Amino acid sequence: MTGGRTAYRMAAVAATAGGATMSLVVIAAMLQATLTRSADQPQKTPAAVAMVEALRAGDAKGAPEAGDNGELSLRARQLDVRIRADYFRRQSLLRRGAWVLPFALAAFALGAKGLSALRRVWPVPSSPAGDRAQNERALTARARWAIAGMGVLAGVGVAVVAVLLPPPAGPASVAVVRGAVSQPAPAAGCTAWPQFRGPGGNGVTAATGLPLNFDVATGGNIRWRSPVPLEGKNSPIVWGKKIFCTGATKDKREVYCFDADDGRLLWRRDVPLPPGADQVEVFDDTGWAPSTGATDGQHLAAIFPTMDLACFDVEGKALWSTHLGTVANQYGHASSLLIVEGKVIVQFDQREAPDRTSRGKLLAFDVVTGKKAWETPRPTEAAWSSPILADVPGGSQLIAIGNPWAIAYRPGDGQELWRAKALAGDGGASPIYAGGLVMAGNTGTGLSGIRPDGRGDVTKTHLAWTIEDALGDVASPVFDGRRVYMTKTDGELDCFAIDAGKPALLWKQSFEMPFSASPTLAGRNIYLLADKGTLIVFQAGGGAYKELARSELGEDCHASPAFVDGRIYIRGRKNLYCIESGGR
Amino acid sequence: MNRWTAATICLVLTAGGAWATQRFRPPDLGESYAAPSQPAPGPRVQAMEWVDLAVLAVALAGSAHLAIRTRRRAWAFVLMLAGLGYFGFYRAGCICPIGAIQNVALALTDGAYAVPIVAVLFFVLPLATALFFGRAFCASVCPLGAIQDLLLLRPLMVPTWLEAALRLPAHVYLALAVVVVANGGGFLICRYDPFVAFFRFAGSLPMLILGACVLLVGVFVGRPYCRFFCPYGVLLGWASRLSRRRVTITPDECIRCRLCEKSCPFGAIREPNAEPGVPTPRPSRARLAGLLVLAPLVVATGAWGGWRLGAELAGLHPQVALDDRITLEDAGAVAGLTDASKAFREAERDSESLHAEARRIVHGFQVGSLAAGVYVGLVVAGGLVRQSVSRRREDYQADRASCLACGRCFAYCPREQVRRGTVGPGALS
């Protein structure tokens, strides 16, 4: 053996042995750190459990804060520090192990490969090759049997599964159950208000037990009040025990999450200004945070007039953001967001430039990755209304309106389904889908009812009715199954009956106050929130206006409230309120 | 300084600015708060995707050059380690051409999906290379192949006849992956990548165990994932069959010395099936006719099986899984709520429209699975037919489809040793 070969062999042996030893040591250490983590839990020892119980008992009796509880408290803190230190020590060990292990394994593999190469014995064929043609015949015969065997194996596997499967489709238990279920069970309560105007975007809530009034001075029916750091005219949205909203000034933009039970600000996140943000101008009545965000319970999407779309998880972790470019919109972008089938929908309406360098569009972004899923151009002018998802028989439709069209899109790919010329001029009112009709319009045309089963331009074929000169320029309508209610900025409330397919004015009511927030139907009551902070509750139905209650918030309000689980969340100019029967 | 130099400097400076971009500014928590180091990786600038593509192109060119022109296994091994380091550990196994199958399949079936151009090029480049130079990607670029190759210490030969049958799972896997992704069921190949957990130093325990098992088998059986499961290997095999130039065992002529017979741990060397000057016996026409008659039956069986399995496969789609769950919950057949069903109920969505949507998806899966069944049936029938019409071979040859272009066989060929000058031409006599 030459000297070079000996050295090569020694190096290979050393790498193999060293790599193997190091790998085993690291694997053992990582296993020990992982396996003993669940076994060694000082917080579950009888002494620790008794200590925690004692501390809790002290709290329940209204004893002083645990921090003042002397020795017991000190011991609890020491235990806590010990547990945390142990956790981080293990994490650190696992992290280092994960880095060292690949190198150790690589050393082992390369050394072993080197040794393997040294041991390689060059072949010395001794026996004759035999009859090659016969060898080939034997080989291909075996190969045919093997392929056939594999095919039969696959076929038998499929047959076994297919026999177990009942026609038509789906797992056996589901198919059996599906045959037995005639009516779906009602949804388990209303604990979410995931977008502007709630589920469906129609301004209808299933929440019950809502209070009719409140008193700020005495705290009556007010569960809590929390200051919102920055102003904004967007509405609060709710998922479970979390309330989300945004606030902004010309120089700063933030997203907030409040605790629904006590109003604590759980987190606030800054959304940085994009380059050129100082060039963006908005109308004072619109403000810097007019668009309501949307949540699906896992993600929160928010958008600002600078056209920055940002997405967080509900714990406040920034997931992605994207700048959509400048928008040609004289009042500033104000459309709210919608999350549909894992996509964030953005209604990006703007003035169309003569050279078409700017034009309206509907955009969808993957809520997880932020990648654009689809984009559909819109033949509309600048608009401030928000899109809704209509559960139309035959498939859901995205409805987005902007001068002069009300347009329906397929949510999956943004393909346009139908359009109706139902608007003229500016408008901020959003459409609703109720009673089998899409109700859409603006101040220029009034409100139109559109049958959503058409394709193409349905202006002449699917407009069921139009109520002229009825819709306000900001607030959206609400429908109680037979009547549609609309408020105007000048303080007028109109009620039209849609009983016989043709609308007829039932009554008008004038208030000495303008409305920006949209009305909400809760059971048989409708809640109106005036700009100066007056909450008015009146009875839906009947031939005349019947007011049930009126309360004063004491500060300006422009956002539509959220109605969830017996509570009303109202965003004022400075504060967020939780209104609940019985209050705190 | 000419204007091209100035332009280059400007471009570099601009790119530097892009690297420094942080989309979310850290919150202002006061001066006393020491912000921890960024726990998540920073945003990857888009330009880096093109760098990945450039690295792929260079590696493919290098691999093809080493396998066909210089015929150097040692340098191919070094390039393989570099590929493992870059595409495996540095890029954490993503993006890779194997997974890019799904991007392309989704783009072809879902008009709303905007497929990244880099993903398309990652899919196309290795195939185009295979079309001209054989499976250069498998040889020295693919990190999945490299990690198995590195641990191949005691190779055992899988009989050629068995190998022909064991390739069927790769075809099934390819068909299933395309059906699932085309119907919105997710990226199956990425989800069940056995090695990505190693590349990322993180993964679920089942995937770590699966990866460890594959690597353990790979100590004795050369690249088991590549040969028997890799869906991209199926496509590369097809392209390689048509390749203009490919790896040859001998640099010039085969002297039928049989020294290379057992040199390929991947079973890609085909022995001669005829002696020079001796006519090849005709294959059995009756058997061939019988197999051709049987082929439609095999294909029909595959189609039926695919159709019946479609509904089960549809359970991978979140909407279908949710619909099943909602149905069971409504009927009281299961207790409690899952996260998805809870979210569905809290959003007050209509279960009928969900059911209608799920039925549409299930139908899509059934149609796709039917096509997949037809494809698998064709593969089985085609395999049977191919084993009945073998081509005449008088030399030892690397199989066009299954040769991974690793170059292990070079050193076994005496003609190669003559070419390298390690032995004189007279030694062969």
Side-chain angles (χ1 to χ4, degrees):
Chain A
M1 190 179 283
T2 64
R5 194 175 169 84
T6 308
Y8 178 76
R9 184 185 179 79
M10 292 290 289
V13 168
T16 310
T21 309
M22 179 62 88
S23 301
L24 288 174
V25 168
V26 173
I27 289 171
M30 290 172 77
L31 277 176
Q32 192 268 345
T34 307
L35 297 178
T36 57
R37 188 169 55 196
S38 54
D40 182 22
Q41 292 183 313
Q43 73 273 26
K44 291 192 177 171
T45 58
V49 171
M51 185 167 63
V52 171
E53 290 298 324
L55 281 169
R56 280 190 183 146
D59 279 349
K61 287 175 188 168
E65 288 294 312
D68 302 331
N69 229 356
E71 191 190 349
L72 196 58
S73 217
L74 184 64
R75 274 169 48 208
R77 284 182 183 151
Q78 285 171 341
L79 178 65
D80 182 61
V81 168
R82 200 178 122 203
I83 293 168
R84 284 169 192 272
D86 181 63
Y87 173 79
F88 286 114
R89 183 184 63 77
R90 288 172 198 270
Q91 289 295 104
S92 170
L93 196 148
L94 287 173
R95 204 164 40 245
R96 288 179 193 167
W99 275 105
V100 172
L101 189 59
F103 290 101
L105 285 174
F108 166 72
L110 287 172
K113 271 195 104 63
L115 283 177
S116 173
L118 281 176
R119 273 203 301 269
R120 184 166 53 188
V121 179
W122 295 97
V124 183
S126 53
S127 59
D131 184 341
R132 296 200 183 271
Q134 195 176 345
N135 290 349
E136 175 84 353
R137 277 198 298 276
L139 184 81
T140 53
R142 278 199 291 268
R144 277 193 299 273
W145 281 112
I147 292 171
M150 190 64 97
V152 168
L153 202 65
V156 168
V158 170
V160 168
V161 177
V163 166
L164 294 177
L165 279 178
S173 56
V174 175
V176 170
V177 164
R178 192 161 280 149
V181 176
S182 56
Q183 291 292 326
C190 172
T191 56
W193 193 263
Q195 65 205 46
F196 178 60
R197 304 203 74 204
N202 293 330
V204 179
T205 179
T208 55
L210 295 165
L212 293 177
N213 53 19
F214 58 88
D215 190 331
V216 173
T218 63
N221 283 350
I222 294 187
R223 184 179 172 90
W224 51 259
R225 177 176 68 177
S226 285
V228 182
L230 296 179
E231 286 185 25
K233 289 173 179 167
N234 63 90
S235 303
I237 56 173
V238 185
W239 194 285
K241 297 296 181 189
K242 289 188 170 71
I243 307 168
F244 306 100
C245 60
T246 66
T249 62
K250 186 173 175 58
D251 305 318
K252 194 170 179 63
R253 302 171 308 171
E254 291 183 328
V255 178
Y256 308 113
C257 174
F258 292 88
D259 188 299
D261 283 336
D262 55 19
R264 271 182 306 129
L265 180 59
L266 295 175
W267 52 262
R268 62 193 282 189
R269 297 289 179 265
D270 185 57
V271 178
L273 292 164
D278 54 343
Q279 304 296 319
V280 177
E281 294 295 335
V282 299
F283 192 50
D284 283 347
D285 283 355
T286 311
W288 290 98
S291 303
T292 301
T295 180
D296 60 1
Q298 294 180 318
H299 309 91
L300 168 69
I303 192 168
F304 296 87
T306 47
M307 296 317 289
D308 272 69
L309 176 64
C311 188
F312 302 79
D313 72 9
V314 292
E315 302 303 328
K317 180 184 171 191
L319 299 177
W320 52 267
S321 73
T322 182
H323 179 55
L324 304 180
T326 54
V327 60
N329 187 315
Q330 61 268 39
Y331 302 129
H333 180 85
S335 293
S336 299
L337 299 174
L338 189 61
I339 296 179
V340 177
E341 297 177 6
K343 301 182 193 78
V344 183
I345 308 295
V346 182
Q347 183 176 342
F348 192 118
D349 280 349
Q350 59 180 335
R351 280 193 309 273
E352 183 171 318
D355 59 357
R356 292 203 165 189
T357 49
S358 74
R359 63 185 307 195
K361 53 196 169 185
L362 194 66
L363 299 159
F365 297 87
D366 187 297
V367 73
V368 178
T369 64
K371 286 185 179 172
K372 191 194 291 180
W374 50 258
E375 172 180 334
T376 304
R378 281 167 56 75
T380 50
E381 289 294 315
W384 300 266
S385 65
S386 302
I388 62 163
L389 183 72
D391 278 330
V392 174
S396 300
Q397 297 182 0
L398 266 176
I399 313 290
I401 66 172
N403 182 22
W405 297 100
I407 309 180
Y409 302 88
R410 198 159 62 191
D413 56 10
Q415 186 183 326
E416 184 178 317
L417 299 172
W418 56 260
R419 62 167 79 175
K421 197 169 270 187
L423 294 90
D426 295 343
S430 297
I432 60 172
Y433 173 67
L437 296 174
V438 171
M439 299 183 194
N442 62 3
T443 42
T445 56
L447 188 73
S448 296
I450 309 163
R451 290 193 301 277
D453 55 350
R455 289 292 181 271
D457 187 346
V458 300
T459 309
K460 293 181 179 170
T461 55
H462 284 67
L463 252 60
W465 45 257
T466 298
I467 306 171
E468 294 178 358
D469 192 27
L471 199 57
D473 54 3
V474 178
S476 309
V478 68
F479 185 69
D480 70 359
R482 298 176 69 183
R483 299 164 189 80
V484 65
Y485 303 85
M486 293 169 279
T487 55
K488 292 182 182 173
T489 318
D490 63 7
E492 183 178 297
L493 168 67
D494 295 347
C495 172
F496 286 84
I498 314 286
D499 288 342
K502 269 200 162 187
L505 179 65
L506 282 181
W507 48 260
K508 280 178 184 279
Q509 178 70 28
S510 288
F511 301 90
E512 295 300 319
M513 54 189 100
F515 294 98
S516 296
S518 299
T520 303
L521 175 72
R524 288 174 54 82
N525 301 333
I526 292 179
Y527 287 72
L528 291 178
L529 184 61
D531 286 3
K532 68 173 194 174
T534 307
L535 183 73
I536 299 164
V537 186
F538 68 92
Q539 198 172 72
Y545 172 76
K546 182 179 177 185
E547 187 167 311
L548 300 175
R550 189 179 288 217
S551 315
E552 297 292 341
L553 205 60
E555 64 176 292
D556 290 353
C557 297
H558 298 275
S560 302
F563 298 75
V564 177
D565 212 15
R567 296 175 185 172
I568 309 169
Y569 299 100
I570 301 176
R571 181 179 188 172
R573 188 174 174 190
K574 298 284 185 190
N575 298 292
L576 182 65
Y577 297 82
C578 174
I579 314 294
E580 184 181 29
S581 292
R584 187 177 288 274
Chain B
M1 184 189 297
N2 64 27
R3 57 187 173 181
W4 286 107
T5 312
T8 309
I9 291 172
C10 287
L11 271 175
V12 169
L13 291 176
T14 311
W19 272 313
T21 300
Q22 191 173 17
R23 300 303 304 271
F24 291 93
R25 215 163 36 203
D28 182 12
L29 298 172
E31 290 178 1
S32 60
Y33 179 76
S37 60
Q38 185 80 7
R44 185 179 173 83
V45 289
Q46 278 191 329
M48 286 306 290
E49 295 178 355
W50 294 97
V51 171
D52 295 339
L53 193 67
V55 172
L56 176 71
V58 169
L60 284 172
S63 178
H65 182 75
L66 289 169
I68 293 172
R69 284 294 290 257
T70 61
R71 296 169 61 82
R72 290 290 179 183
R73 162 72 188 156
W75 283 109
F77 185 76
V78 171
L79 182 59
M80 185 187 81
L81 291 181
L84 175 64
Y86 187 83
F87 291 111
F89 289 102
Y90 174 58
R91 294 295 289 117
C94 188
I95 182 175
C96 82
I98 306 171
I101 293 173
Q102 302 159 117
N103 297 83
V104 173
L106 187 59
L108 291 175
T109 52
D110 182 356
Y113 174 62
V115 61
I117 185 70
V118 172
V120 175
L121 292 174
F122 255 78
F123 174 76
V124 168
L125 264 186
L127 285 175
T129 308
L131 211 52
F132 287 93
F133 306 110
R135 296 172 69 166
F137 175 72
C138 304
S140 305
V141 188
C142 177
L144 279 72
I147 196 169
Q148 295 170 87
D149 208 318
L150 198 61
L151 291 174
L152 176 59
L153 301 175
R154 290 275 179 180
L156 302 174
M157 297 299 288
V158 177
T160 311
W161 58 269
L162 182 59
E163 177 132 2
L166 289 178
R167 285 197 206 108
L168 185 63
H171 292 273
V172 175
Y173 193 15
L174 171 66
L176 287 183
V178 170
V179 170
V180 171
V181 75
N183 286 285
F187 282 29
L188 208 61
I189 297 172
C190 300
R191 200 183 302 168
Y192 297 109
D193 183 335
F195 307 119
V196 77
F198 297 123
F199 295 150
R200 294 175 184 176
F201 304 143
S204 66
L205 189 61
M207 290 312 296
L208 281 167
I209 291 172
L210 175 70
C213 288
V214 177
L215 287 180
L216 192 63
V217 173
V219 172
F220 306 102
V221 178
R223 296 197 183 193
Y225 180 80
C226 303
R227 290 156 72 193
F228 309 130
F229 294 101
C230 180
Y232 196 62
V234 172
L235 305 181
L236 287 171
W238 290 341
S240 188
R241 276 182 202 282
L242 306 171
S243 58
R244 285 187 61 191
R245 299 183 65 189
R246 70 190 75 83
V247 163
T248 55
I249 301 168
T250 176
D252 38 38
E253 59 171 335
C254 177
I255 58 174
R256 296 155 67 89
C257 63
R258 299 178 57 203
L259 290 175
C260 65
E261 237 174 27
K262 308 290 181 196
S263 65
C264 180
F266 311 126
I269 291 180
R270 298 287 169 264
E271 295 180 18
N273 57 10
E275 298 293 345
V278 179
T280 310
R282 275 190 170 178
S284 166
R285 287 183 178 175
R287 183 195 304 123
L288 187 59
L291 288 174
L292 288 173
V293 169
L294 190 67
L297 185 67
V298 174
V299 172
T301 307
W304 171 81
W307 174 263
R308 294 307 304 268
L309 286 182
E312 281 297 302
L313 211 55
L316 289 170
H317 196 289
Q319 291 284 94
V320 178
L322 176 62
D323 181 50
D324 290 345
R325 176 73 196 185
I326 293 289
T327 305
L328 292 171
E329 285 177 8
D330 286 349
V334 292
L337 302 174
T338 63
D339 287 346
S341 68
K342 187 162 177 268
F344 175 83
R345 294 183 185 288
E346 288 178 351
E348 297 191 325
R349 298 286 310 278
D350 175 20
S351 59
E352 279 306 304
S353 62
L354 174 70
H355 185 49
E357 174 69 5
R359 284 183 65 84
R360 189 188 63 74
I361 294 167
V362 169
H363 182 71
F365 266 93
Q366 285 179 316
V367 172
S369 299
L370 183 144
V374 168
Y375 167 72
V376 172
L378 282 172
V379 169
V380 172
L384 291 171
V385 170
R386 193 180 305 120
Q387 294 298 332
S388 305
V389 286
S390 61
R391 286 183 175 184
R392 181 183 174 86
R393 287 188 306 274
E394 293 183 4
D395 300 333
Y396 282 89
Q397 295 173 0
D399 184 85
R400 287 180 170 218
S402 55
C403 173
L404 301 181
C406 67
R408 277 184 172 83
C409 55
F410 297 156
Y412 288 80
C413 180
R415 297 294 308 172
E416 175 68 19
Q417 298 299 340
V418 171
R419 187 185 76 88
R420 293 180 185 177
T422 48
V423 295
L428 297 186
S429 61

